[in-house]
Amino acid sequence: MPKLATASLGGSATHRDPSMQRHSHTSSDPLEVCVTEGIQPLSWVQRLLTRLVSRRHSFPPACSKMVTAKVWVLKKHFEGFPKTSDFDLKKIELPNLKDGELLLESVFLSVDPYMRPYSQRDMKEGDIMIGTQVARIVESNNPAFTVGAFVVARSGWRTHFISDGKDLQLLPSSWPESLPKSLALGTVGMPGLTAYFGLLEVCKMKLGETVLVNAAAGAVGSVVGQLAKIGGCKVVGCAGSDYKVAYLKKIGFDEAFNYKTVVSLDEALRQASPDGYDCFFDNVGGEFTSIAINHMKKYGRIAVCGAISQYNDTVPQKGPYVQVPMIFKELQMEGFIVTRWNNRWEEGLKALLKWVVEGKVKCHEQVTEGFENMPMAFIGMLKGENLGKAIVKV
Ligand SMILES: NC(=O)C1=CN([C@@H]2O[C@H](COP(=O)(O)OP(=O)(O)OC[C@H]3O[C@@H](n4cnc5c(N)ncnc54)[C@H](OP(=O)(O)O)[C@@H]3O)[C@@H](O)[C@H]2O)C=CC1
Ligand SMILES: CCCCCCCCC/C=C/C=O
């Protein structure tokens, strides 16, 4: 493990609780993906032979056939809160594979808050929705990739796609067979890395400090709180339901409250930490930030990770503004995007995987079944229906 991670995050373990494991996962048999429609079930000898052949990359691929991918398209730019009618489900015929190419099928897809602001900024109507998936290699014309292997891809909301392999990340070789591969989209993926780098590099969290995190029961927030505990901090989290608050306490948060039902957010923040906060990992922005900033300790650090309370605004929110408390408390407030540390993802994933395997970081996933339900899962996540990482299982 790198020096930084050991120095800042080594230490006390959190409690292990099997009831908090994710509630659903799939197992997968690489054999099944090559069975062509209309072919009778294979004997076990044929299956074994097929497995051996497919692992050695057949040229041309053994199960070449026309594949139709389903894709979700942004039909209409979101106005305010996204609606299911803003999306269109389409079918696309994929061409035959060229040399060096792979055919992949999505197994798990991620729905993330960034899709809301990114769609506005980077997409035009008719584009396939951006996003990441865990996908299985179905055919390979590329010797670097074996049929049956699982990768993380950034191919958008598609059931099947073709890649030249350059944009694919194989799951770490140390990934335990028993660990759900969907975690590569959450705790052991981009959201976990956001928590890791945001806390270490932006908040510069230190032993004995007090850390505040909002949207705390979500994909990023739940990891932030648990890493801060591993790093020897006091952790205060808030979330939008009593059920989520109970979960936060179960996974080791020292204080947690429901920001929707407290009479006064100001009072709840004061009660949770009368001395204030050294670090604030802000996932929410807006009014929450303008209240929380007054509870920062002198020289406190604020990691501006997200602003989900503002993503659906049609009219920009007005102050109160942050400058006066920033000046008098001499605060540091820094926005960041996790891709800043692209060259250190291996380090972060290794550390996160280790903590998950050791039971020091617990994971929960909100799994929606069915590719057809992607827009619903995305909208549900924006509304706060997810506990932990929101995932769609194809
Ligand atoms: N900077 C970066 O590189 C990255 C930033 N992010 C940001 O981190 C934040 C969390 O992302 P992620 O963990 O994936 O998502 P979550 O799993 O936390 O899901 C989103 C959660 O946000 C909460 N929420 C929604 N609307 C509001 C609101 N108006 N006020 C307060 N809370 C709200 C809901 O929880 P609740 O029930 O508690 O309200 C909801 O469950 C987002 O802002 C996202 O954009 C994520 C990844 C990378
Ligand atoms: C199309 C896949 C992009 C994967 C990188 C995601 C970076 C997320 C940055 C988030 C910003 C705010 O939510």
Side-chain angles (χ1 to χ4, degrees):
M1 195 184 301
K3 266 203 180 107
L4 182 68
T6 330
S8 308
L9 290 170
S12 68
T14 51
H15 330 282
R16 194 188 178 87
D17 177 358
S19 69
M20 283 300 167
Q21 302 297 315
R22 74 195 283 285
H23 63 269
S24 145
H25 67 94
T26 60
S27 67
S28 49
D29 180 352
L31 277 178
E32 285 167 9
V33 298
C34 273
V35 176
T36 321
E37 277 167 40
I39 291 181
Q40 292 303 307
L42 304 174
S43 74
W44 70 269
V45 179
Q46 285 169 310
R47 279 172 177 267
L48 187 62
L49 284 173
T50 312
R51 174 172 286 183
L52 290 174
V53 170
S54 65
R55 286 215 168 132
R56 283 196 196 125
H57 316 286
S58 40
F59 293 93
C63 54
S64 240
K65 63 164 183 165
M66 193 62 88
V67 173
T68 305
K70 285 188 240 170
V71 303
W72 276 107
V73 159
L74 178 72
K75 183 161 85 184
K76 200 171 168 311
H77 269 298
F78 308 122
E79 279 164 24
F81 217 90
K83 306 180 287 299
T84 50
S85 56
D86 298 328
F87 301 89
D88 228 358
L89 185 59
K90 293 200 162 163
K91 287 186 177 171
I92 296 180
E93 294 262 297
L94 298 184
N96 287 328
L97 292 190
K98 299 194 197 94
D99 268 359
E101 287 186 336
L102 313 159
L103 171 66
L104 298 107
E105 67 174 7
S106 302
V107 180
F108 297 105
L109 293 115
S110 182
V111 284
D112 298 89
Y114 75 80
M115 293 164 178
R116 173 65 179 89
Y118 272 42
S119 70
Q120 206 80 32
R121 208 192 60 167
D122 294 346
M123 289 175 61
K124 50 185 193 321
E125 291 174 357
D127 285 352
I128 294 175
M129 280 296 294
I130 47 167
T132 50
Q133 56 267 92
V134 168
R136 178 168 45 196
I137 300 171
V138 177
E139 289 184 32
S140 176
N141 269 358
N142 183 330
F145 293 92
T146 315
V147 169
F150 288 84
V151 297
V152 176
R154 297 177 174 186
S155 291
W157 295 16
R158 309 170 191 253
T159 55
H160 296 80
F161 53 99
I162 290 173
S163 162
D164 60 9
K166 289 192 187 117
D167 54 344
L168 304 176
Q169 276 91 48
L170 282 163
L171 258 55
S173 54
S174 54
W175 195 279
E177 195 53 45
S178 59
L179 198 68
K181 293 178 174 56
S182 47
L183 293 184
L185 300 174
T187 307
V188 193
M190 185 279 284
L193 290 167
T194 304
Y196 180 88
F197 291 115
L199 263 183
L200 289 180
E201 301 298 339
V202 185
C203 278
K204 298 188 171 63
M205 162 195 83
K206 291 182 207 65
L207 181 84
E209 291 191 327
T210 302
V211 175
L212 170 66
V213 57
N214 46 20
V220 175
S222 59
V223 183
V224 169
Q226 295 183 84
L227 296 191
K229 285 310 295 174
I230 293 173
C233 293
K234 170 177 170 172
V235 181
V236 177
C238 53
S241 76
D242 293 348
Y243 179 66
K244 292 185 180 185
V245 168
Y247 174 70
L248 295 180
K249 294 201 172 137
K250 215 161 183 175
I251 62 172
F253 280 61
D254 298 286
E255 300 285 339
F257 62 85
N258 180 343
Y259 72 91
K260 288 184 180 164
T261 55
V262 288
V263 177
S264 150
L265 179 59
D266 191 54
E267 194 44 42
L269 288 166
R270 186 173 300 107
Q271 257 181 32
S273 180
D275 296 337
Y277 301 90
D278 302 282
C279 302
F280 172 25
F281 195 108
D282 190 5
N283 289 317
V284 168
E287 192 188 353
F288 191 105
T289 309
S290 47
I291 296 174
I293 202 164
N294 296 312
H295 292 266
M296 295 303 292
K297 290 186 188 175
K298 190 134 179 157
Y299 310 120
R301 286 93 59 202
I302 303 175
V304 184
C305 174
I308 197 163
S309 71
Q310 298 171 237
Y311 294 165
N312 295 308
D313 287 348
T314 42
V315 180
Q317 294 178 28
K318 289 266 184 190
Y321 301 103
V322 297
Q323 287 81 357
V324 173
M326 281 195 70
I327 294 164
F328 285 108
K329 288 169 184 281
E330 300 192 54
L331 303 176
Q332 287 181 35
M333 190 173 193
E334 182 181 349
F336 74 96
I337 294 185
V338 62
T339 47
R340 190 195 303 181
W341 298 277
N342 264 348
N343 60 343
R344 288 177 56 197
W345 277 36
E346 203 181 326
E347 162 205 324
L349 292 178
K350 197 173 157 199
L352 291 161
L353 181 59
K354 185 168 177 289
W355 285 315
V356 168
V357 169
E358 290 172 351
K360 291 178 180 168
V361 170
K362 294 174 206 79
C363 318
H364 194 279
E365 293 180 318
Q366 197 74 47
V367 182
T368 301
E369 300 264 347
F371 184 75
E372 283 68 17
N373 293 320
M374 293 262 340
M376 213 181 70
F378 174 61
I379 293 167
M381 177 276 302
L382 291 175
K383 281 187 190 158
E385 288 169 5
N386 59 307
L387 177 69
K389 178 75 188 97
I391 294 285
V392 173
K393 180 171 164 249
V394 177

